[in-house]
Amino acid sequence: MRSLLFVPGDSPKKLDKALQSGADALIIDLEDSVSAANKEDARKITRDFLNEHAGDEAPPRLFIRINDLETPYWESDVKLILKSSPAGLVLPKAHSGEDVHHLSVALDHLEARAGLESGSCKLIVLATERPMALLQMASFVGSSARLIGMTWGAEDLSVALGARRNRGDDGNYTSPYRLARDLCLVTAAAAEVDAIDTVYTNFRDLDGLRRTVEEAARDGFSAKMAVHPSQIPVINEAFTPSRDELEQARAIVSAFEDAGNAGVVALDGEMLDRPHLLRSERILARARAAGLS
Ligand code: COA
Ligand code: MG
């Protein structure tokens, strides 16, 4: 997964449009983009959409962002949609790995009761929306075998911190939100799950989006969330290895093979050892996943 497009769960029109966006995954939202009055409608629209498209030939993976565990909504969200076999759930406003564990146990029971394969519903956690979560990031590591990704958000966090703004005059996030981003990246690596970069909300500014997504790919994120279909091509491109990157990775892997899988080799005057080989193998794996070869 390179791109995950948010779609409000109460909009059948946007749901249909999202299928054509080229996103690797959709995050159908039952939370902040759906008003309290529309929660029940959004659940039913989402369930019907899942039922209609779960069997599609090559659909984007369909994730559902449920409401957070402090609301009266989340249990109804999960009960109504789980039988329609979403790829997974996105848990917002987690306080710690304890919340991921709690949701996972609830899913164990519901899957058993619905006759679904145990553990089939995966989880992605929004790990930086609560200040307490930042203080307990390590608790997400090993919190559930269902956990496949971690992502971060600056909007709810900045409200919780009492901040007036979360960006400086240069448009970049200020240090509390850089900290949240970096902790998410490091924790996802420790947990061996996908690190997914947050949304770029100014959806008309594709140059700004390109800059942040290139920074994300450079630093180790493997995907980014989106709020608008126009953002998907930019995100997919940034997370797909370029031809130069691919050639370089192939040359490095060959250099090690030619040297009888030696620990260290020289290529074009550069010393290369194990981390270089691992990085190149990862680039080739990403290219295969993106349908390049
Ligand atoms: N998914 C699917 N379709 C979308 C979309 C999305 N996230 N965002 C926009 N579209 C559609 C619009 O419905 C419109 O369709 P049309 O041409 O058939 O009328 C088309 O793409 C162009 O949209 P545009 O006019 O540029 O934007 P908008 O003003 O209609 O929508 C937002 C702007 C922000 C309201 C919309 O992008 C959106 O709902 N984004 C997701 C919000 C969300 O889920 N937030 C929660 C997580 S941060
Ligand atoms: Mg939010």
Side-chain angles (χ1 to χ4, degrees), residues 82 104-115 146:
L82 191 71
S104 188
V105 171
L107 289 172
D108 290 344
H109 293 296
L110 290 167
E111 278 175 347
R113 208 179 305 158
R146 296 176 188 273

Side-chain angles (χ1 to χ4, degrees), residues 206-242:
L206 294 183
D207 289 334
L209 171 68
R210 192 167 289 112
R211 272 195 303 280
T212 64
V213 72
E214 277 166 6
E215 278 172 24
R218 175 198 68 195
D219 290 348
F221 286 93
S222 59
K224 186 172 177 75
M225 302 188 293
V227 292
H228 193 283
S230 64
Q231 297 182 317
I232 300 302
V234 176
I235 294 175
N236 284 350
E237 189 191 336
F239 287 115
T240 306
S242 68

Side-chain angles (χ1 to χ4, degrees), residues 5-8 13-15 17-18 29 33 65 199 203-204 227-229:
L5 175 62
F6 267 111
V7 195
K13 187 183 114 179
K14 285 182 190 167
L15 284 166
K17 192 128 195 153
D29 191 23
S33 71
R65 181 165 75 170
V199 294
F203 58 84
R204 303 274 182 241
V227 292
H228 193 283

Side-chain angles (χ1 to χ4, degrees), residues 7-19 26 28 38 41-42 44-46 48-49 52-53:
V7 195
D10 58 353
S11 172
K13 187 183 114 179
K14 285 182 190 167
L15 284 166
D16 279 336
K17 192 128 195 153
L19 284 176
L26 307 185
I28 304 173
N38 274 3
D41 276 356
K44 290 183 180 151
I45 291 168
T46 298
D48 294 347
F49 183 80
E52 201 177 326
H53 294 288

Side-chain angles (χ1 to χ4, degrees), residues 140-176:
F140 289 107
V141 179
S143 55
S144 167
R146 296 176 188 273
L147 191 67
I148 58 160
M150 293 185 64
T151 186
W152 67 285
E155 301 311 320
D156 291 278
L157 179 61
S158 66
V159 174
L161 294 181
R164 294 188 182 155
R165 291 189 294 152
N166 54 23
R167 292 175 186 273
D169 292 335
D170 57 4
N172 293 326
Y173 279 120
T174 53
S175 64

